[in-house]
Amino acid sequence: MSVESLAADMPGAVSTRPTDRLRLARDASHFALTPSAVVTVASAGDVARLFAAGQPLTFRSGGTSLSGQGVTDGILVDSRRHFRDIEVLDDGFRVRVGPGATVRQVNTRLARYGRMLGPDPASEVACTLGGVVANNSSGMACGTAANSYALIDSVVVVLPSGTTLDTGDIDADDQLRAREPDLWAGLNRLRDRVRGNAASRASIERQFALKNTMGYGLNALLDHDRPADILTRLLVGSEGTLGFLASIVMRTVPVHAHARTGFLVFDDLAAATAALPGLVATDPAAIELLDATSLRVGQSDADVDPGLAALDVRHHAALLVEYRAGTAAEADARAEEAAGTLARLPLVTPAELKSDPAARNRLWHLRKGLYAKVAGARPPGTAALLEDIAVPVPELLPACRELIGLFERHAYDHAVIFGHAKDGNIHFMLTERLGDSSGRDRFGRFTDDMVDVVLGHGGTLKAEHGTGRMMTPFVRRQYGDELYDVMLEIKRLCDPRGILNPGVVLNDDPGAHLAALKTSPVVEEEVDRCVECGFCEPVCPSRDLTTTPRQRILLRRALEQARLDGDAALVASLEKDYEYDAVDTCAVDGMCQTACPVQINTGDLVRRLRASDSQGAWAFAARHWSATTRAMGAALSTARRLPIVAAPVSRAAHRIAGAPLWSPDLPGGGRARPRVTPEDKPDAILFSSCTGTMFGPANESFARLCDRAGVVLATPPGLPSLCCGTPWKSKGMTRGLAEMASRVRPALAGDIPVVVDAASCTEGLRQLLGDVATVVDAVEFTATHLLDRLKVTARLGDLALHPTCSAQRMGLTPALLTVAEAVAERVTVPDSWGCCGFAGDRGLLHPELTAAATAPQAAELAGRHFDAYASCNRTCELGMTRATGHTYEHVLDVLERVTR
């Protein structure tokens, strides 16, 4: 079936737009392939219909894979947008998950049961369980005892034949035998073939004693007897080449919330690796290795551990060791048991196991931030290459020494080595200009030498990142002809047409790892720093509507490449789509920066792109802001009184001129902001938000709470004409922003704190004022200065709370929770909480953005009763009111009522 026929058979699910194909042409690896089409599937039935088409295809969810298994020049199937269901089973001891749910989302749901998933990859914010299982990903602490293979319970798999099988059914094996007799018989045959070959058994047992994701998981043929059980385990680590995982049931592990963490510095790598056997015997949860280059990179961090900052790094190496337990007393006991071993180590500085969360976070930030530090500092136009291998722990030192020698031989001067030393699993990272033939050739020579080193020490070429495209030419060499033939037979049995992820896991092309490599033209600062990891995507409010921050950047790269190639038609197509898909529907909320390992705020890029010929009009508005806000408020009030007229007029203006779209759920305007001039010196300056004038009612609760608490407020002169600057900054209107700043700064300069009653305005004013004045959000001020002076007289039972993106970025969420918990017995923040996408005027210009962003939260809250619904920003309250049908108000409004 052709792509055109497929589009007719699956209306709305198939796209061949260049924008959609190019935004998904790259993942976190150093490979790039442009798909022929993108298909978004919503059910196992959709997948079966897709298989019937017989077209080569690749499944993609989080796009965090590092070995090229998530890109294709065939059909790319998006399984992220749907398949996100999470069902907790057996009081958290098991969990049923769709392949599109992220590890963090699953663990958030499990946390209330004191459980978590076993695999703990560093990409947990963005990687999905489908990808984790398909790659047999592990992480820093899970090793081989708690990885996906060890903890998989059952799956619902759609086979390339269209057969859908739940391997958790009691009669799953009988179903498999009846519906797929050749597959059932073939797995039986391969099981007996491997078990009957002593050399094969020995090779499998040796290789899978390590963390090992090379090829297929042949240990399934030794560990299980029934073909249905063997199939379940073969699907783990199969990288989407054997079937589609429509649902996954995993066993979970307990959360060990208390930890004791030490940073052990040795004179050199030899001393550090020599300490491993003794440390492993103390049973720590994690032992992370950092070489001398890693330590020097870590010293550049602003929040570096004081001990590391003072170290004169030469040939040093360090081990980050952590002991975890369910209680503080148990963690102390674990640390005490390890104390003798730690005391005997030849350390540069004395061993200290820290329990302070801030100190521990600094150490883990160092380890987890290495990738970002090195990748972020790479020259523009180069790619960051992160590889992982594993060797038996006794072979770790010689293997590392030889790798360092290879770095020197091939002139990779800034390569770093770090990783999971307890498992003999190390990562190394280097940067290369892959679009240059000399860079590609150098990387090829290095890879050949690296393969010799790793296999020479009895190791595996992929420990946890999957074979992908990167290591396919070397699978036969690692396993030998006999076991490689077993893998080929597994592929033939499951996917006889060879349509699933061609070129991944098994490929005899000796140059496959050097084909389809990324090239990255120099574009602009935010674009050039991006490592395309995808960590930003789950927090982006437009992720289910148009594009994500990573995709906005990928499209900028594609656009620049098209210009360089002289492809005028492609340039025109991309530019046309980019306006809506990337610019208009970006909330510029900055949440992407909170997840980005190299701290890119894609909103800064979008703001520059939004700058237009409207600069003069917005500068005029800045000079007459009081009249502008009153006019906006009056327009909303008029619309409320005349909805029959307002609705069609608004729709027409929106369609013709892109004007804001009025809807009946919007409030009328409010009053002008009140001005307060006290007789005594004020304790704080109140800078109330102009959103209260535009989207009434004006928030007067904070002033009333201050009056009850005996706190004296004043307002700045000319308040109605002042603004935090966010309306101009979000649109790239630099002239209007400068005009407003010239009036706000002198009005607020001084040593009296300025308190703002809307979170986004607090953030905007902080950025506008810099060090001219101290700006405090009203929620934070209330939590620290007012709560203990107020008496709650009518505490609520249940409160639904929506933290805002601005509050989250400024670190105000704990204060928001403190106030919420003061007014209600039970506070519920939805597990699916995220930016509402209203984003000032985006909710009026593009209400579909808010609808898409809030849909998960609205679904989670549906059918539940709460005594109140609260947030801390007026436009976010409007967005959540629209999404849920319940009136959201400022949390201080609720506090004001319950303290009367």
Side-chain angles (χ1 to χ4, degrees):
M1 184 185 293
S2 67
V3 170
E4 292 75 15
S5 299
L6 193 62
D9 189 50
M10 302 178 68
V14 181
S15 174
T16 57
R17 284 198 317 164
T19 288
D20 289 329
R21 293 164 54 224
L22 287 166
R23 69 183 174 87
L24 293 170
R26 300 154 80 116
D27 62 2
S29 73
H30 51 273
F31 294 89
L33 286 167
T34 303
S36 60
V38 175
V39 180
T40 303
V41 290
S43 67
D46 282 351
V47 175
R49 290 162 66 196
L50 195 54
F51 284 161
Q55 293 275 356
L57 53 86
T58 293
F59 292 99
R60 169 167 165 158
S61 191
T64 58
S65 297
L66 292 163
S67 299
Q69 55 268 62
V71 295
T72 183
D73 55 3
I75 293 174
L76 188 71
V77 185
D78 179 4
S79 60
R80 177 191 66 85
R81 188 161 297 191
H82 303 287
F83 297 100
R84 295 178 187 166
D85 293 344
I86 302 170
E87 180 185 2
V88 177
L89 308 171
D90 306 333
D91 288 327
F93 280 76
R94 294 189 307 147
V95 62
R96 178 179 288 113
V97 183
T102 67
V103 169
R104 177 170 291 185
Q105 288 166 345
V106 179
N107 283 337
T108 298
R109 192 72 61 85
L110 288 169
R112 64 193 63 155
Y113 300 91
R115 308 291 294 183
M116 61 183 287
L117 293 170
D120 59 335
S123 57
E124 52 90 28
V125 64
C127 66
T128 64
L129 196 62
V132 167
V133 173
N135 291 309
N136 196 19
S137 306
S138 46
M140 299 185 186
C142 77
T144 57
N147 64 9
S148 298
Y149 180 88
L151 296 180
I152 195 77
D153 188 82
S154 66
V155 299
V156 174
V157 59
V158 185
L159 295 169
S161 63
T163 295
T164 300
L165 177 72
D166 185 345
T167 66
D169 288 345
I170 295 175
D171 63 343
D173 200 60
D174 293 335
Q175 290 185 48
L176 182 63
R177 183 177 189 175
R179 300 165 68 187
E180 297 284 344
D182 291 343
L183 175 56
W184 186 90
L187 292 177
N188 265 325
R189 185 172 62 252
L190 290 178
R191 176 199 63 203
D192 295 342
R193 173 178 168 180
V194 167
R195 292 181 180 185
N197 186 320
S200 293
R201 290 182 64 99
S203 178
I204 292 171
E205 289 169 352
R206 176 182 62 82
Q207 297 203 53
F208 286 93
L210 303 171
K211 292 169 73 172
N212 179 16
T213 59
M214 275 290 278
Y216 292 129
L218 298 183
N219 47 336
L221 298 169
L222 300 182
D223 296 342
H224 299 276
D225 298 322
R226 298 192 318 159
D229 296 329
I230 293 171
L231 177 62
T232 299
R233 275 73 189 180
L234 284 174
L235 289 165
V236 176
S238 65
E239 303 176 33
T241 64
L242 302 181
F244 173 69
L245 300 174
S247 180
I248 302 156
V249 177
M250 294 280 285
R251 295 185 296 279
T252 64
V253 298
V255 172
H256 290 147
H258 298 270
R260 303 295 179 263
T261 310
F263 193 68
L264 313 179
V265 181
F266 298 82
D267 281 323
D268 53 32
L269 198 60
T273 54
L276 285 173
L279 286 171
V280 170
T282 64
D283 195 27
I287 306 178
E288 294 294 302
L289 171 69
L290 298 89
D291 71 351
T293 305
S294 300
L295 296 179
R296 282 189 285 270
V297 170
Q299 285 181 317
S300 65
D301 195 281
D303 196 30
V304 63
D305 181 81
L308 176 58
L311 185 67
D312 180 16
V313 178
R314 299 186 181 183
H315 302 291
H316 297 89
L319 296 175
L320 177 58
V321 182
E322 184 160 279
Y323 299 88
R324 298 174 185 169
T327 67
E330 290 170 345
D332 287 338
R334 297 290 311 281
E336 185 62 31
E337 291 169 3
T341 298
L342 298 179
R344 292 189 293 271
L345 297 176
L347 300 176
V348 173
T349 56
E352 179 186 0
L353 293 178
K354 300 178 179 180
S355 60
D356 174 55
R360 291 182 52 248
N361 286 340
R362 276 196 298 270
L363 294 175
W364 279 110
H365 177 74
L366 162 66
R367 164 59 185 88
K368 294 180 179 181
L370 283 173
Y371 174 74
K373 282 286 184 183
V374 177
R378 76 194 190 285
T382 62
L385 311 177
L386 182 64
E387 291 300 328
D388 79 307
I389 56 109
V391 296
V393 172
E395 299 294 318
L396 189 58
L397 174 59
C400 286
R401 282 176 168 167
E402 291 184 47
L403 282 173
I404 292 171
L406 293 184
F407 298 153
E408 295 172 354
R409 183 188 311 168
H410 296 282
Y412 287 122
D413 299 329
H414 302 291
V416 298
I417 292 178
F418 55 93
H420 320 311
K422 184 179 72 168
D423 304 307
N425 172 202
I426 58 171
H427 304 304
F428 56 88
M429 183 175 167
L430 42 87
T431 59
E432 184 58 273
R433 200 172 296 275
L434 296 174
D436 183 289
S437 60
S438 62
R440 184 171 59 252
D441 292 345
R442 176 172 67 159
F443 180 55
R445 293 191 300 272
F446 169 83
T447 301
D448 289 339
D449 289 345
M450 182 267 292
V451 169
D452 291 341
V453 168
V454 175
L455 297 185
H457 288 284
T460 177
L461 297 169
K462 279 295 178 182
E464 56 182 2
H465 293 169
T467 311
R469 299 175 181 276
M470 179 59 207
M471 284 298 160
T472 53
F474 309 103
V475 176
R476 182 188 293 273
R477 182 174 169 189
Q478 178 168 320
Y479 285 96
D481 289 340
E482 165 61 15
L483 291 179
Y484 189 73
D485 191 61
V486 170
M487 293 185 187
L488 289 173
E489 182 64 15
I490 289 169
K491 174 67 171 176
R492 283 192 291 265
L493 287 168
C494 290
D495 182 21
R497 292 176 295 171
I499 63 173
L500 291 188
N501 221 356
V504 169
V505 179
L506 303 178
N507 189 343
D508 280 329
D509 178 359
H513 62 304
L514 300 177
L517 299 178
K518 283 180 177 177
T519 58
S520 296
V522 176
V523 185
E524 52 222 339
E525 192 269 339
E526 295 90 353
V527 172
D528 296 340
R529 279 197 298 132
C530 178
V531 296
E532 302 178 3
C533 64
F535 287 14
C536 56
E537 294 191 335
V539 300
C540 177
S542 60
R543 65 189 179 276
D544 292 334
L545 178 66
T546 50
T547 58
T548 66
R550 171 169 63 174
Q551 292 167 7
R552 290 178 172 94
I553 284 174
L554 292 185
L555 289 171
R556 294 291 289 175
R557 285 178 169 158
L559 186 57
E560 181 62 21
Q561 190 61 55
R563 291 192 182 108
L564 294 173
D565 294 341
D567 192 338
L570 180 57
V571 169
S573 175
L574 293 177
E575 286 182 336
K576 176 178 177 292
D577 292 339
Y578 200 86
E579 187 68 23
Y580 176 77
D581 287 356
V583 177
D584 290 348
T585 53
C586 177
V588 296
D589 60 350
M591 286 299 290
C592 50
Q593 188 177 39
T594 67
C596 176
V598 292
Q599 294 294 296
I600 296 171
N601 185 344
T602 317
D604 292 339
L605 167 64
V606 171
R607 276 187 280 266
R608 289 201 306 274
L609 296 176
R610 282 180 181 168
S612 69
D613 295 335
S614 301
Q615 293 276 2
W618 277 92
F620 178 86
R623 291 191 296 272
H624 304 87
W625 191 238
S626 178
T628 300
T629 55
R630 291 200 307 274
M632 291 179 180
L636 284 172
S637 295
T638 301
R640 290 283 291 179
R641 289 193 295 271
L642 301 170
I644 296 177
V645 175
V649 170
S650 171
R651 286 194 296 271
H654 180 72
R655 184 177 62 255
I656 297 169
L661 186 63
W662 181 84
S663 58
D665 55 46
L666 292 173
R671 296 189 299 274
R673 287 178 280 178
R675 283 168 281 190
V676 180
T677 306
E679 295 180 1
D680 301 323
K681 180 179 179 180
D683 299 305
I685 303 296
L686 173 60
F687 191 90
S688 53
S689 171
C690 49
T691 57
T693 300
M694 291 184 284
F695 305 106
N699 185 357
E700 299 176 357
S701 296
F702 177 69
R704 292 172 184 161
L705 291 169
C706 285
D707 184 58
R708 284 177 202 160
V711 172
V712 178
L713 295 177
T715 54
L719 175 62
S721 65
L722 303 181
C723 179
C724 67
T726 298
W728 294 269
K729 184 176 181 182
S730 68
K731 295 175 179 60
M733 302 299 170
T734 53
R735 286 175 52 191
L737 182 63
E739 172 70 30
M740 184 57 67
S742 70
R743 289 187 286 116
V744 171
R745 285 173 178 154
L748 295 178
D751 56 0
I752 302 175
V754 178
V755 182
V756 187
D757 60 2
S760 64
C761 301
T762 303
E763 185 177 29
L765 193 62
R766 284 181 177 178
Q767 294 167 353
L768 190 73
L769 293 181
D771 57 4
V772 169
T774 299
V775 179
V776 183
D777 189 79
V779 172
E780 182 181 19
F781 190 90
T782 299
T784 56
H785 293 85
L786 304 185
L787 270 185
D788 58 355
R789 305 185 193 183
L790 300 170
K791 183 179 180 181
V792 175
T793 58
R795 199 175 187 206
L796 303 179
D798 292 278
L799 175 76
L801 184 67
H802 174 75
T804 70
C805 46
S806 292
Q808 186 77 356
R809 281 173 51 80
M810 293 185 292
L812 298 181
T813 302
L816 179 63
L817 286 168
T818 296
V819 175
E821 288 163 356
V823 304
E825 296 284 348
R826 293 167 298 277
V827 177
T828 297
V829 177
D831 292 338
S832 55
W833 170 84
C835 173
C836 70
F838 205 91
D841 62 0
R842 290 298 103 178
L844 302 177
L845 295 170
H846 299 287
E848 68 276 16
L849 173 61
T850 298
T854 55
Q857 298 175 73
E860 188 176 338
L861 294 173
R864 301 178 61 184
H865 170 76
F866 296 92
D867 298 306
Y869 299 79
S871 187
C872 57
N873 198 68
R874 184 62 182 136
T875 53
C876 301
E877 292 154 21
L878 297 179
M880 290 305 297
T881 297
R882 175 180 290 176
T884 64
H886 296 282
T887 301
Y888 273 73
E889 58 189 324
H890 200 290
V891 70
L892 297 185
D893 291 341
V894 183
L895 180 63
E896 192 278 327
R897 283 202 307 276
V898 302
T899 56
R900 289 176 183 170

